[in-house]
Amino acid sequence: ATDTPDPSPMNIVLFLIDDLGWRELGCQGSTYYRTPNIDRLAAEGMVFNRFYPSAANCAPSRACLITGMYTPRHHVYLPQGLSRGVDITKMRWKVPTVGLDSTFNTFRVNVNHIAPEWISLAEMLKKGGYITARLGKWHIGDDNQGFDVLSADGTPGHITNINGNEKRYYRDTTVSERLTDLAIDFIYQNKDRPFFLYLAHWEPHGPLIARSSRIDYYTEKFDRLGNTECNPVYAASVEELDVSTGRIMSMLKALDLEENTMVIFTSDNGGSFHMPSNYPLRANKGTFYEGGIRTPCIIKWPAVVKPGSSTDIPANGVDFMPTFAEMASIPVPVSQPVDGISLLPTLRGEQINADRSMFFHFPLYLDRRAVPCTVIMQ
């Protein structure tokens, strides 16, 4: 690897998985899940052992990633703006609302979208000449934040986040394949210009569903290993993500784009409630124990990253905006605060001061599993 990025504009491919726990990959130590393509990505890139996607549940973590801001700035806390599961009088903090004063007595919080005035990753990168695509799960409002190519399910131009409603594809066993088809087409069509592909898969979020043949494979493996902490349907769903990763990496290689593309693979929050255990991490999605806020993160960038490397330096979802800006030699937005830091020094293997604070604010409840809290991680 070289010490400085290639001077030509780099492509960016960001895989954001839904509810993938920290340990559920072969490269993270699992002997049950079959993820050879993701494992190869880790062998060719850098593994972040302490990556935190800014929140313990999906909507706020996605808003943090897209805007580079912590949750109290963009005000997205839960999908549909609902606090779930407990008496509102037990809420430790109330939250910013739209059209309601401080006496409101409902669990509905009317902030369920990224405000249009916030500059997104797509809008920032377009100033550097990038074409952008967001495929799959959005979950943060009607405004699509400046992406050029959109699809919720792999059908070109098909989006479902309209007028506060969003169709979801958790029960669709072929949606990852269709999204991957469209992603490959996007890469091919834009192979001669810099592109940003944000592929936000629906899997392995519940309700769990997968192809029956792969469920049978993992059921047999489950019985053979006697591992009660694994779920065959969940494992088959994870395998779909590995297949998608392998197909896209193969297309980058076939088009001679591999050296000029940063590939990121990570998750929106910790492992779901469907998993009996996220051991060795405590608890799961919706909590601010490590099992809820710590996820896999792999970054491959042949121009810079040493293959097979890893780091214990903490990183956060809000770091992607300043990282992409520095990588593409474009400024971060000045019209909003950007809370993250650039990860380029870490990716280059430089000795840096690893001391930093991270902020997590979750004033609502998620199915009784989360206690409203503010966490400052130092």
Side-chain angles (χ1 to χ4, degrees):
T2 59
D3 292 332
T4 57
D6 189 290
S8 60
M10 299 292 297
N11 306 310
I12 304 169
V13 175
L14 171 57
F15 294 93
L16 187 68
I17 311 307
D18 199 351
D19 289 3
L20 181 68
W22 181 75
R23 70 172 193 151
E24 291 153 15
L25 302 171
C27 57
Q28 296 292 103
S30 174
T31 58
Y32 183 69
Y33 298 91
R34 186 176 183 276
T35 56
N37 296 300
I38 301 169
D39 299 346
R40 187 178 308 115
L41 188 69
E44 296 172 348
M46 176 178 285
V47 174
F48 283 75
N49 295 320
R50 297 179 64 196
F51 179 79
Y52 301 92
S54 305
N57 57 308
C58 54
S61 72
R62 292 162 193 269
C64 291
L65 182 151
I66 291 294
T67 65
M69 300 188 297
Y70 284 125
T71 307
R73 299 196 195 275
H74 56 64
H75 297 166
V76 177
Y77 296 98
L78 273 173
Q80 296 85 50
L82 293 174
S83 179
R84 301 169 179 135
V86 294
D87 184 348
I88 196 169
T89 62
K90 295 185 173 69
M91 289 179 66
R92 191 174 301 173
W93 290 285
K94 293 182 179 180
V95 300
T97 61
V98 174
L100 296 172
D101 62 23
S102 61
T103 63
F104 80 97
N105 60 355
T106 174
F107 282 112
R108 180 169 294 281
V109 180
N110 292 355
V111 179
N112 188 40
H113 60 274
I114 301 175
E117 61 263 28
W118 300 134
I119 303 298
S120 72
L121 288 176
E123 291 163 327
M124 180 190 75
L125 288 168
K126 284 170 71 172
K127 294 179 180 178
Y130 280 72
I131 187 169
T132 62
R134 79 95 177 149
L135 310 180
K137 182 173 177 177
W138 182 239
H139 228 44
I140 42 180
D142 293 348
D143 191 319
N144 290 287
Q145 299 297 131
F147 282 91
D148 298 304
V149 177
L150 303 165
S151 178
D153 71 339
T155 305
H158 176 64
I159 57 173
T160 62
N161 54 305
I162 301 171
N163 297 326
N165 298 310
E166 181 180 33
K167 182 178 179 180
R168 304 170 192 182
Y169 293 87
Y170 302 134
R171 295 181 181 274
D172 190 330
T173 60
T174 64
V175 68
S176 65
E177 183 176 357
R178 299 196 307 273
L179 287 170
T180 305
D181 289 343
L182 186 56
I184 287 173
D185 183 66
F186 172 77
I187 292 170
Y188 181 80
Q189 295 296 330
N190 297 285
K191 60 183 181 297
D192 297 321
R193 62 182 297 186
F195 60 78
F196 169 44
L197 169 62
Y198 172 48
L199 178 52
H201 279 292
W202 294 93
E203 293 92 348
H205 191 290
L208 296 181
I209 191 168
R211 300 173 194 264
S212 59
S213 60
R214 302 315 294 162
I215 295 174
D216 292 343
Y217 169 84
Y218 284 102
T219 299
E220 187 278 330
K221 192 173 185 179
F222 177 92
D223 293 339
R224 176 162 39 86
L225 295 177
N227 190 338
T228 59
E229 295 183 354
C230 296
N231 184 312
V233 185
Y234 191 96
S237 184
V238 170
E239 187 181 68
E240 290 286 342
L241 306 174
D242 185 75
V243 171
S244 170
T245 303
R247 291 182 62 202
I248 288 176
M249 296 305 297
S250 294
M251 174 56 74
L252 292 173
K253 185 173 182 179
L255 296 176
D256 200 25
L257 296 175
E258 200 171 18
E259 293 295 313
N260 203 41
T261 303
M262 171 190 275
V263 179
I264 302 160
F265 182 95
T266 189
S267 178
D268 62 344
N269 49 247
S272 77
F273 314 132
H274 299 284
M275 299 306 298
S277 171
N278 280 314
Y279 182 85
L281 305 185
R282 182 178 181 182
N284 50 24
K285 170 184 177 179
T287 74
F288 281 84
Y289 296 116
E290 290 279 297
I293 57 174
R294 186 171 167 186
T295 71
C297 181
I298 302 164
I299 299 181
K300 177 185 176 181
W301 186 10
V304 171
V305 174
K306 179 182 178 181
S309 57
S310 65
T311 180
D312 292 326
I313 293 175
N316 195 286
V318 296
D319 296 338
F320 289 130
M321 178 168 275
T323 301
F324 295 171
E326 184 176 357
M327 185 185 93
S329 299
I330 54 179
V332 295
V334 296
S335 58
Q336 68 200 52
V338 176
D339 292 314
I341 62 173
S342 174
L343 299 176
L344 286 196
T346 301
L347 293 171
R348 294 176 182 136
E350 297 174 4
Q351 295 295 320
I352 66 171
N353 183 356
D355 293 337
R356 68 179 296 192
S357 297
M358 296 183 188
F359 299 85
F360 302 81
H361 181 54
F362 187 66
L364 304 175
Y365 292 84
L366 184 63
D367 298 332
R368 298 183 183 272
R369 293 177 174 87
V371 177
C373 63
T374 296
V375 176
I376 301 176
M377 183 180 296
Q378 295 178 311

